[in-house]
Amino acid sequence: MSKNEMIQITYREAVREAIREALRRDERVFLLGEDVGRYGGCFAVSKGLLEEFGPERIIDTPLSESGFTGAGIGAALGGMRPIVEIMTVNFSLLAADQIINNAATFLHMSGGCFNVPLVIRMSTGGGKQLAAQHSHSLEGWYAHIPGIKVLTPATLEDARGMLWSALEDPDPVLIFEHQSLLNMEGQLLANAGAVDIDRAQIRRPGSDLSVITYGASLFKALEAAEILAGEGIEVEVIDLRALRPLDDATFLTSIASTHRALIVDEGWRSGGISAEICARIMEGAFYELDAPVERICGAEVPMPYAKHLEEAAMPQVEAIVTTAKRMVRSNG
Amino acid sequence: MNAKSPSSLSGAQVDREHAHHLLHQMLRIRRFEEKSAELYTLMKIRGFLHLCIGEEAVAVGVCEALEPEDGVVATYREHGNALARGISASAIMAEMYGKQEGCSRGRGGSMHIFDDKTRFYGGNAIVGCGLPLAVGLALADKMQGRKRVTCCFFGDGAIAEGEFHESMNLAALWHLPVFFVCENNLYAMGTALERAQSVTDLVRKAASYNIASSAVDGMDVLTVEAAAKEAVNIVRREQEPYFLECRTYRFRAHSMFDPELYRSKAEVEKWKKRGPIVTLVKRLKKQGLLSDVELEQLEQQVAREIEEAVAFAENGTWEPVEDLTRFVYSERG
């Protein structure tokens, strides 16, 4: 295998390869969740892993989100490196007690006695017509909580590389895999490995406007940037990658050269991560701005089922293009 | 053991030295908590303070059955469990003072006693939230081929929580060495068991998950100890969970903010007559295993320990405010 050999792979396969690598590299790692074994995972991420690693490391659980997430925390305390899979972010609310009251607090509440080296993966986001109990974007809401880390891999590299870094982290890490990205296919280095989990990345450089986004919205922003480039507007697209810790240095530096910022977030506007990013821009780059910061967020409704309504409830390319044009053409 | 009539060893002969040890442990807890209540009124201890006075036999009897390598998960009413498990009175008192010499560096307080040396995983103040942790700790032991037992204390209130049922099911389904100890003091805060449960026989609930289970008189330390030892043996040997209901009673209020409107003074007095310390003292004296002088010596020993604990806490230091955000994430390097 040459150093630069590329393979064709989907996001789903990249996550599966990451789990497989972790299981091979560290015998303390195991996967725990509803239907991760025989069924192959509700989004088929873990398909084939049961056959390869056996039922003691690919553990099907009953429908007990709080119970098995807490068991993951306990196993982490007991020296294992569990990967807990929760089907969707909405279901994670059934485990919110364990995630927020236990995983996030144990190290601090115990004065440093007990850390929780746990990884929790879950799907997030809309676009699959799964309506209001399977499609929300609560990763920004989890990012509110000190004691956990919140990752939002958007690219194939991150889908492949964030898990190992998360497992090496001594504290609880939540990984949000966007449902609409699972079938995304592309080229990835055959020897792709661990990536950092605390820095934002500029996915497209530009000088006229900073678009700050993460998750599936990244690709809408990149598509919009391409259209805007055709009209002479150069957009810098920033992929946050992690919502906690939030790498504000990267977007503040970007704004210092573009002087305009647009936040694209599938989560709800009120009290969301977009509001936090906006506040940090006010605190750290107010005098750099030539125009007010703007936001394109999920509409403030529970996610509807009907396709046209679901699309209207989520940030779309057209809105990014229109807003970007208005912002750049306003004379600051 | 039969769930309907909790077993009791009240007539049995006991080893003198061991009986003194058990009495000593219960006295440590009782006097420690009496002192804590006093210090609370002096505002040395703040926040919520939940005393287990009346329930000492459960903590002592159960912890006697555990090995040093076993793990313990407890509730917010855990001073007794922590003392019986071997965490020093000084470290617990300093914790309640909020001093950095406390076992949780003053970041937990009365409700969050932690200690890695004794594998004491809290001090958990969300009712029921410790049970899944115990399941996971036992899962880790099983996966790593260790023959350790995880002992999980919880109250009767936790039985109403979903996490109890999820955890019982997981422990049974996965054959995990968890020793579930229900400290049934008849009240979830102010709500009596029969006002909270459609089925008040808790052993039946555990049995419905196919978990070996029994109930004992939680006011009798010898009975609790014998039952706990038998249960722990089963858990360790069979690598299966066990559920032990200890029927006990809290003599004091739920916390320091509880006028006790939900139960009668007569009921409390009736239970106090069955107090774990008075009954053990009476029995040992009757059997010629304890003299007044020996009792006095034990009391003095305990008084000295508590005096030292209070002095340790008084002399403890406040963690610098600059350290406020430490221990949110692990410190590397």
Side-chain angles (χ1 to χ4, degrees):
Chain A
M1 182 171 77
S2 83
K3 200 175 142 202
N4 297 318
E5 189 191 337
M6 303 293 283
I7 50 167
Q8 188 74 10
I9 194 168
T10 65
Y11 185 103
R12 174 185 289 107
E13 289 162 351
V15 175
R16 186 185 305 142
E17 281 310 304
I19 299 171
R20 179 179 281 134
E21 181 199 7
L23 287 160
R24 282 187 185 147
R25 278 176 79 166
D26 188 339
E27 61 182 18
R28 299 171 303 173
V29 172
F30 66 98
L31 180 68
L32 183 74
E34 291 157 358
D35 279 318
V36 297
R38 284 164 182 260
Y39 193 95
C42 74
F43 294 105
V45 168
S46 54
K47 201 172 168 197
L49 296 181
L50 174 68
E51 291 73 15
E52 188 174 349
F53 295 99
E56 288 179 0
R57 300 186 73 196
I58 307 295
I59 304 177
D60 281 322
T61 67
L63 304 185
S64 308
E65 284 83 358
S66 192
F68 70 73
T69 303
I73 297 167
L77 288 167
M80 300 298 287
R81 291 290 179 276
I83 304 169
V84 169
E85 177 177 310
I86 299 176
M87 285 187 178
T88 77
V89 67
N90 288 86
F91 303 179
S92 79
L93 299 182
L94 292 162
D97 173 43
Q98 290 298 329
I99 297 170
I100 299 166
N101 287 321
N102 279 349
T105 62
F106 243 58
L107 181 69
H108 191 261
M109 200 162 66
S110 70
C113 278
F114 296 114
N115 62 303
V116 181
L118 171 71
V119 173
I120 303 175
R121 298 171 37 248
M122 63 186 94
S123 71
T124 188
K128 292 281 179 190
Q129 288 191 263
L130 298 176
Q133 292 179 341
H134 287 69
S135 309
H136 288 147
S137 292
L138 299 176
E139 53 276 1
W141 180 74
Y142 276 108
H144 179 62
I145 299 153
I148 55 177
K149 294 182 180 175
V150 174
L151 310 183
T152 54
T155 63
L156 295 173
E157 289 78 12
D158 283 349
R160 178 68 180 82
M162 279 184 161
L163 180 70
W164 181 254
S165 304
L167 283 165
E168 293 232 292
D169 197 283
D171 301 310
V173 180
L174 273 56
I175 304 180
F176 293 86
E177 297 157 7
H178 199 287
Q179 289 174 9
S180 72
L181 294 178
L182 289 167
N183 289 328
M184 181 178 74
E185 196 166 353
Q187 295 274 308
L188 179 70
L189 274 173
N191 62 355
V195 295
D196 77 273
I197 53 171
D198 49 15
R199 285 198 302 280
Q201 288 266 352
I202 294 170
R203 299 295 185 192
R204 178 187 176 113
S207 53
D208 296 326
L209 167 73
S210 302
V211 172
I212 304 160
T213 189
Y214 68 92
S217 298
L218 169 66
F219 299 99
K220 292 177 181 173
L222 288 168
E223 197 182 326
E226 193 63 33
I227 295 167
L228 288 159
E231 303 192 24
I233 295 171
E234 292 303 326
V235 170
E236 183 145 288
V237 179
I238 298 166
D239 175 8
L240 290 170
R241 300 177 69 245
L243 303 187
R244 180 179 272 273
L246 187 63
D247 174 16
D248 40 18
T250 296
F251 61 75
L252 293 176
T253 304
S254 172
I255 291 165
S257 70
T258 63
H259 309 291
R260 286 175 169 82
L262 169 63
I263 304 158
V264 181
D265 174 18
E266 203 178 305
W268 292 303
R269 176 186 300 255
S270 302
I273 193 72
S274 69
E276 174 62 25
I277 295 163
C278 196
R280 296 214 191 177
I281 295 170
M282 293 305 123
E283 290 163 351
F286 182 76
Y287 295 107
E288 297 290 347
L289 293 172
D290 285 346
V293 175
E294 296 209 30
R295 290 186 278 165
I296 297 173
C297 298
E300 306 238 347
V301 289
M303 192 65 85
Y305 161 71
K307 190 162 180 58
H308 68 295
L309 294 178
E310 186 186 44
E311 281 174 2
M314 294 169 66
Q316 301 298 349
V317 175
E318 194 186 334
I320 301 171
V321 170
T322 310
T323 308
K325 277 190 203 170
R326 177 164 40 73
M327 288 177 73
V328 172
R329 287 171 184 165
S330 75
N331 296 313
Chain B
M1 274 170 272
N2 184 325
K4 291 194 178 69
S5 55
S7 61
S8 174
L9 296 177
S10 50
Q13 271 290 334
V14 287
D15 174 74
R16 181 189 190 96
E17 199 179 324
H18 186 61
H20 285 201
H21 167 69
L22 296 175
L23 178 59
H24 181 209
Q25 288 288 67
M26 291 200 293
L27 283 170
R28 287 177 69 223
I29 297 169
R30 177 70 57 94
R31 304 297 174 236
F32 180 91
E33 291 215 307
E34 287 169 348
K35 187 52 133 182
S36 301
E38 188 187 319
L39 292 165
Y40 196 88
T41 61
L42 294 172
M43 296 173 74
K44 294 283 188 183
I45 299 171
R46 305 301 293 153
F48 279 147
L49 179 71
H50 308 92
L51 304 176
C52 73
I53 287 175
E55 305 178 13
E56 295 91 342
V58 180
V60 172
V62 168
C63 286
E64 281 300 313
L66 302 176
E67 298 296 334
E69 68 270 20
D70 293 337
V72 176
V73 179
T75 72
Y76 54 86
R77 195 184 301 286
E78 86 284 33
H79 311 145
N81 312 110
L83 284 166
R85 181 59 182 158
I87 307 175
S88 80
S90 294
I92 301 169
M93 191 60 84
E95 184 57 35
M96 294 201 290
Y97 267 63
K99 300 288 180 76
Q100 62 179 335
E101 290 77 9
C103 52
S104 309
R105 299 181 66 95
R107 287 162 189 264
S110 162
M111 296 192 284
H112 304 300
I113 304 294
F114 285 87
D115 181 54
D116 46 3
K117 289 179 288 299
T118 54
R119 298 193 66 228
F120 196 88
Y121 297 94
N124 294 283
I126 308 289
V127 172
C129 83
L131 283 97
L133 301 183
V135 168
L137 284 161
L139 177 64
D141 285 336
K142 183 179 176 177
M143 292 179 110
Q144 292 170 93
R146 295 183 294 238
K147 289 274 181 176
R148 307 196 296 203
V149 170
T150 300
C151 173
C152 183
F153 291 101
F154 52 93
D156 48 290
I159 307 278
E161 294 282 0
E163 287 179 328
F164 166 80
H165 298 275
E166 294 188 15
S167 300
M168 297 300 276
N169 184 46
L170 290 176
L173 187 69
W174 293 342
H175 308 287
L176 299 177
V178 185
F179 180 26
F180 292 104
V181 180
C182 180
E183 302 173 296
N184 177 8
N185 66 15
L186 304 179
Y187 293 91
M189 221 167 116
T191 301
L193 188 64
E194 65 269 19
R195 293 182 56 234
Q197 290 294 332
S198 59
V199 174
T200 55
D201 183 346
L202 306 183
V203 169
R204 269 178 65 201
K205 289 179 190 283
S208 77
Y209 291 100
N210 222 6
I211 291 181
S213 47
S214 58
V216 290
D217 176 6
M219 303 306 275
D220 179 348
V221 69
L222 294 165
T223 304
V224 174
E225 183 192 26
K229 282 187 168 167
E230 191 182 324
V232 167
N233 281 339
I234 292 170
V235 174
R236 208 183 303 280
R237 191 180 63 234
E238 310 286 338
Q239 292 290 291
E240 290 283 354
Y242 193 98
F243 174 92
L244 182 67
E245 176 196 351
C246 299
R247 294 180 183 170
T248 184
Y249 199 80
R250 154 170 68 68
F251 293 170
R252 296 285 189 110
H254 164 73
S255 72
M256 303 305 277
F257 305 97
D258 169 16
E260 297 187 68
L261 303 173
Y262 51 86
R263 63 184 188 182
S264 69
K265 286 196 169 65
E267 180 184 293
V268 179
E269 289 311 312
K270 198 178 104 195
W271 276 90
K272 277 185 177 173
K273 289 198 180 85
R274 296 191 48 220
I277 294 175
V278 290
T279 51
L280 182 65
V281 166
K282 198 189 279 178
R283 186 190 315 161
L284 294 178
K285 282 186 172 174
K286 192 174 163 193
Q287 294 179 345
L289 295 173
L290 179 73
S291 69
D292 288 341
V293 174
E294 286 169 325
L295 180 59
E296 185 51 30
Q297 281 169 345
L298 280 177
E299 287 281 16
Q300 282 176 12
Q301 195 183 337
V302 169
R304 277 196 301 277
E305 182 187 2
I306 287 161
E307 206 175 302
E308 281 165 21
V310 174
F312 180 81
E314 286 283 345
N315 294 327
T317 52
W318 305 111
E319 187 160 11
V321 171
E322 301 80 71
D323 287 354
L324 172 66
T325 55
R326 287 184 68 192
F327 311 116
V328 177
Y329 297 100
S330 296
E331 293 166 10
R332 305 212 206 188

